[in-house]
Amino acid sequence: PGLSYTWIFNNTTLDLQEDSRRFVSQATGNLYLAKVEPWDVGNYTCAVSSAEARRRARGPPTALALRGDGVMGEYEPKIEVRFPETTYAAKGSSARLECFALGK
């Protein structure tokens, strides 16, 4: 609780408010990219901060490179749906349904 996640791309903070292809989960800190493009290649660094503790930390940079051979390896795209048949929510409350596609 109280943590905020930011991603830095090639030493520039990603502005994700106007980016429909990229999303940062504030629950896990994970960065999701939909449809990787050649200009996405570079170094990504996660930064986490706590306003309450007044601290900020950065992880090591992680390089993103495109594969030229088209081989997906162990992370072939797959879609899994694990929703119950019925989801209940009280009137006036919020409900969240998530759908994820994984791949590399």
Side-chain angles (χ1 to χ4, degrees):
L3 297 178
S4 177
Y5 300 94
T6 305
W7 280 85
I8 300 159
F9 174 62
N10 293 335
N11 296 316
T12 302
T13 301
L14 286 174
D15 180 11
L16 300 176
Q17 291 182 352
E18 295 185 14
D19 189 336
S20 61
R21 291 185 317 110
R22 296 185 261 195
F23 166 77
V24 175
S25 167
Q26 289 302 313
T28 64
N30 292 343
L31 171 64
Y32 297 92
L33 284 89
K35 192 174 184 221
V36 174
E37 299 288 352
W39 51 84
D40 292 320
V41 169
N43 290 310
Y44 290 83
T45 304
C46 178
V48 62
S49 61
S50 169
E52 187 176 316
R54 294 187 215 149
R55 298 207 54 169
R56 181 177 171 103
R58 281 187 182 190
T62 300
L64 174 68
L66 295 182
R67 292 189 70 139
D69 58 9
V71 175
M72 297 302 287
E74 66 180 278
Y75 299 106
E76 290 187 17
K78 65 180 179 178
I79 297 174
E80 294 182 9
V81 179
R82 294 184 189 164
F83 291 123
E85 268 187 46
T86 305
T87 300
Y88 296 94
K91 183 178 178 180
S93 69
S94 298
R96 184 170 102 184
L97 303 176
E98 293 182 296
C99 179
F100 290 97
L102 303 175
K104 181 174 181 183

